[in-house]
């Protein structure tokens, strides 16, 4: 597997390190460097979704990006998670209202495969999960916005 420098620039405002850093990976000694095809998918995600989102809303903070299979399992990710392919990112939101605006903007104006407004019952945190496939024709355009979660 060819791996790349984790500090490489993917697009104007996003670096690979934002998508590969993980406290769990560091703690468990997991090598979370992605292969070239994953980097290509992450770049596509940045170009099509995250850069337009940043232009509209300002800084976009990624809380979870690429997860190798070992890391995905360690964090309890879905076995077929698009994070494993570099096709998904979780975006920190500062408030439910701001998250709703970002969600609506993505749903209305940007290409995506899956768009979820998510909430942790244990921590109270909220985030937006967005994914996109390299072949835009395969995107399902599945949007689930559960804004009313506490």
């Amino acid at each position: 597997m060819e791996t790349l420098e984790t500090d490489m620039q993917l697009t104007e405002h996003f670096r690979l390190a934002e998508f590969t850093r993980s406290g769990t990976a560091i703690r468990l000694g997991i090598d979370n460097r992605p292969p070239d095809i994953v980097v290509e998918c992450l770049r596509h995600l940045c170009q099509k979704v995250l850069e337009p989102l940043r232009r509209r809303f300002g800084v976009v903070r990624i809380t979870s990006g690429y997860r190798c299979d070992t890391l995905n399992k360690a964090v309890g990710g879905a076995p077929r998670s698009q994070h494993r392919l570099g096709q998904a990112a979780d975006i920190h939101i500062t408030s439910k209202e701001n998250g709703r605006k970002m969600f609506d903007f993505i749903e209305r104006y940007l290409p995506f495969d899956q768009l979820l407004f998510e909430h942790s019952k244990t921590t109270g945190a909220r985030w937006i999960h967005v994914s996109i496939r390299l072949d835009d024709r395969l995107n399902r355009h599945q949007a689930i916005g559960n804004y009313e979660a506490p």
Side-chain angles (χ1 to χ4, degrees):
M1 167 170 81
E2 175 96 15
T3 56
L4 298 171
E5 172 62 41
T6 57
D7 199 35
M8 83 182 305
Q9 198 77 36
L10 295 173
T11 58
E12 182 180 358
H13 297 102
F14 294 95
R15 299 186 79 73
L16 182 58
E18 295 176 73
F19 296 89
T20 59
R21 81 172 157 253
S22 162
T24 301
I26 293 168
R27 186 169 38 82
L28 299 177
I30 298 170
D31 182 355
N32 196 42
R33 288 178 294 177
D36 291 345
I37 186 62
V38 167
V39 174
E40 183 180 345
C41 291
L42 288 169
R43 186 172 283 118
H44 182 72
L45 173 65
C46 290
Q47 290 169 339
K48 296 289 188 169
V49 180
L50 301 177
E51 285 289 351
L53 196 63
R54 187 185 191 287
R55 281 192 297 276
R56 174 67 175 89
F57 293 96
V59 173
V60 173
R61 193 174 119 224
I62 307 303
T63 58
S64 182
Y66 170 67
R67 297 184 210 137
C68 67
D69 288 336
T70 304
L71 178 57
N72 191 59
K73 187 174 182 180
V75 299
R80 296 181 52 143
S81 170
Q82 286 180 281
H83 286 279
R84 296 170 32 259
L85 306 173
Q87 296 177 350
D90 294 341
I91 302 166
H92 171 77
I93 56 175
T94 56
S95 69
K96 184 166 47 169
E97 295 76 26
N98 189 47
R100 185 176 198 157
K101 289 176 185 177
M102 291 173 85
F103 183 98
D104 291 343
F105 179 80
I106 295 169
E107 185 177 26
R108 177 175 277 185
Y109 300 110
L110 303 178
F112 66 92
D113 180 53
Q114 192 175 50
L115 179 62
L116 308 172
F117 192 92
E118 297 191 288
H119 173 261
S120 169
K121 292 177 185 172
T122 56
T123 67
R126 289 186 177 86
W127 65 94
I128 293 172
H129 168 94
V130 63
S131 66
I132 188 169
R133 298 170 190 250
L134 273 179
D135 184 344
D136 290 330
R137 296 171 298 176
L138 299 177
N139 288 328
R140 297 170 287 176
H141 305 286
Q142 178 186 37
I144 301 171
N146 183 8
Y147 304 124
E148 303 312 315

